[in-house]
Amino acid sequence: MLDHRLSSEYEELRRTVAEFANDVIAPKIGEYYEQNEFPYEIIREMGRMGLFGLPFPEEYGGMGGDYFALCLVLEELARVDSSVAITLEAAVSLGAMPIHLFGTEEQKREWLPKLTSGEVLGAFGLTEPEGGTDAGATRTTARYDEATDEWVINGSKCFITNSGTDITGLVTVTALTEPLTHSSDGSSNHSPTREISSIIVPTGTAGFQVSKKYSKVGWNASDTRELSFTDCRVPAANLLGRQGRGYAQFLRILDEGRIAIAALATGLAQGCVDQSVQYAGTRRAFGRPIGANQVIQFKLADMETRAHISRLAWRDAASRLLHAEPFKKEAAIAKLYASEAAVDNAREATQIHGGYGFMNEYPVARMWRDCKILEIGEGTSEVQRMLIARELGVTS
């Protein structure tokens, strides 16, 4: 018989993070959010809790957990605040995970202990100003300089999370590289074949410039910036994995990341339910709590239903991932449904709160501002529908 209940270890982790979110994040995050400040104090405490190392082996400073545990944590954090949740999600799924999955032993030893402790944040430079959803249309280039044994990077990236904080240590950048073939005499020959590779660029490298923070609608307590590279040189050893495998690498990273975003979206959707149930029980109109009105009850029932189904969807996808089963379709379904559920719940929560829902001092106002990006980042809703149709065998 199937059992959807959490194990005692997972439940203890979930409860611990829920308490942290309610006791530590909730009282402070509003001020960070309104002042567009990165919550370094909160991030340090999350590092001490081991949250940044959850799915990584202990030999690299991790907690020896798994991706399911990470998603549990993201849901609980996002029930209170999405800026903190997306900081953790990007740091783990986009910053550290590529090095864990594709890096050399030397790269893992150098970077993972810092990343898993939260001492350093990593970022993933994929999206470009003219690329957007078409991530394969990369224009950033990396030319190999044989004289110095270095990659010379030129180009730009946009909407990159965790790329400009005081504790950012690296950005893994996708770039066009020329295939190198070696002849029998040891000389190198260049092929014109187009390929994409991933390269680690440490913060502070000459020619690597980080722009000022974007002015965003939501996620105001997270860090998002544009990056530019002008003759930026890094050692050839900074190549992540095999040359020309960058496209395949980020496709895998995005597939896994969609489960994490689905969990985050589920947390936001559930947070809207939590806040609305509390408000409906205390807000009085026409002599009784507004929760006594059937129209409010039906709204809350629909909101809870959406959050519940979202949770089942991401847990199913995460379980398939952990059991090494195909999960691409299930991840796309989870991300699509949960992100749209978050948007629907945030809209209804704001409606239930009435005029107060439009005031930034109420968490639902922050949730309303944060929800829309969930239908865009890690692949738009349209892309998820394309992926699902493709997995069904429907092709154009």
Side-chain angles (χ1 to χ4, degrees):
M1 183 177 69
L2 292 176
D3 189 349
H4 294 287
R5 292 173 296 182
L6 295 177
S7 67
S8 58
E9 292 81 4
Y10 283 139
E11 177 58 28
E12 182 179 358
L13 173 65
R14 188 205 64 78
R15 189 185 309 112
T16 298
V17 174
E19 292 174 358
F20 172 77
N22 288 318
D23 296 344
V24 177
I25 298 177
K28 302 175 182 178
I29 196 61
E31 184 175 354
Y32 284 113
Y33 195 93
E34 291 309 311
Q35 295 181 3
N36 296 301
E37 291 184 1
F38 190 77
Y40 288 102
E41 178 185 351
I42 293 174
I43 298 304
R44 280 193 293 270
E45 292 192 48
M46 290 166 58
R48 288 192 288 268
M49 293 174 66
L51 301 187
F52 290 91
L54 271 173
F56 301 109
E58 294 180 12
E59 64 180 303
Y60 300 116
M63 299 295 288
D66 53 37
Y67 212 79
F68 192 94
L70 170 66
C71 291
L72 275 178
V73 168
L74 291 173
E75 179 180 336
E76 292 304 321
L77 293 176
R79 286 177 77 152
V80 171
D81 179 71
S82 292
S83 290
V84 171
I86 195 59
T87 297
L88 177 64
E89 192 279 334
V92 174
S93 296
L94 303 179
M97 192 60 71
I99 295 176
H100 172 60
L101 292 177
F102 312 118
T104 64
E105 187 61 27
E106 290 76 16
Q107 290 168 342
K108 293 178 183 179
R109 295 291 178 190
E110 178 181 3
W111 289 109
L112 285 182
K114 304 174 194 174
L115 295 169
T116 57
S117 68
E119 172 190 346
V120 165
L121 298 181
F124 193 68
L126 172 63
T127 307
E128 299 194 357
E130 296 184 17
T133 295
D134 187 7
T138 299
R139 294 191 177 186
T140 297
T141 62
R143 174 181 58 84
Y144 178 67
D145 186 341
E146 294 181 72
T148 61
D149 195 29
E150 293 176 319
W151 291 105
V152 184
I153 305 171
N154 284 279
S156 61
K157 302 290 181 178
C158 62
F159 311 138
I160 310 303
T161 304
N162 292 343
S163 57
T165 73
D166 293 344
I167 57 175
T168 299
L170 68 97
V171 178
T172 301
V173 178
T174 53
L176 294 175
T177 51
E178 291 184 351
L180 284 175
T181 57
H182 294 276
S183 61
S184 58
D185 64 0
S187 61
S188 298
N189 299 312
H190 291 270
S191 164
T193 305
R194 189 178 194 272
E195 67 176 19
I196 297 176
S197 302
S198 299
I199 301 173
I200 299 171
V201 182
T203 301
T205 302
F208 172 26
Q209 183 174 354
V210 181
S211 74
K212 66 179 182 179
K213 293 187 295 185
Y214 287 108
S215 175
K216 297 177 294 186
V217 172
W219 285 0
N220 286 350
S222 72
D223 180 82
T224 317
R225 302 178 190 244
E226 185 171 354
L227 313 177
S228 62
F229 305 87
T230 306
D231 291 333
C232 175
R233 291 176 172 268
V234 297
N238 283 26
L239 180 71
L240 186 64
R242 286 167 39 206
Q243 185 174 328
R245 295 294 295 168
Y247 191 81
Q249 289 171 356
F250 72 67
L251 286 181
R252 175 169 176 181
I253 292 298
L254 291 178
D255 282 340
E256 293 185 3
R258 287 178 183 125
I259 304 175
I261 293 298
L264 191 157
T266 300
L268 191 153
Q270 189 65 60
C272 289
V273 177
D274 298 343
Q275 293 294 324
S276 297
V277 168
Q278 180 181 7
Y279 185 81
T282 57
R283 172 65 170 165
R284 300 181 67 84
F286 303 104
R288 61 178 184 170
I290 64 171
N293 298 312
Q294 192 177 70
V295 65
I296 300 297
Q297 295 171 4
F298 281 9
K299 284 182 182 293
L300 293 172
D302 288 342
M303 291 165 66
E304 176 69 8
T305 299
R306 285 190 285 265
H308 181 74
I309 296 174
S310 298
R311 184 172 300 110
L312 294 178
W314 81 248
R315 288 187 179 183
D316 174 61
S319 177
R320 292 171 185 271
L321 168 62
L322 294 188
H323 289 88
E325 299 173 357
F327 66 92
K328 181 186 289 287
K329 181 183 71 174
E330 289 74 17
I333 290 172
K335 198 273 182 182
L336 172 64
Y337 187 86
S339 62
E340 295 191 347
V343 171
D344 290 341
N345 277 16
R347 183 184 63 251
E348 294 287 34
T350 303
Q351 191 72 16
I352 290 171
H353 280 70
Y356 292 106
F358 204 62
M359 300 295 110
N360 285 325
E361 64 188 275
Y362 281 78
V364 294
R366 192 166 67 244
M367 294 171 178
W368 186 48
R369 292 164 67 178
D370 288 341
C371 68
K372 181 57 188 176
I373 188 60
L374 298 172
E375 294 183 315
I376 299 172
E378 298 274 359
T380 63
S381 293
E382 292 75 15
V383 166
Q384 306 313 313
R385 289 182 167 90
M386 288 169 52
L387 291 172
I388 295 166
R390 188 179 302 159
E391 290 295 306
L392 292 173
V394 181
T395 58
S396 57

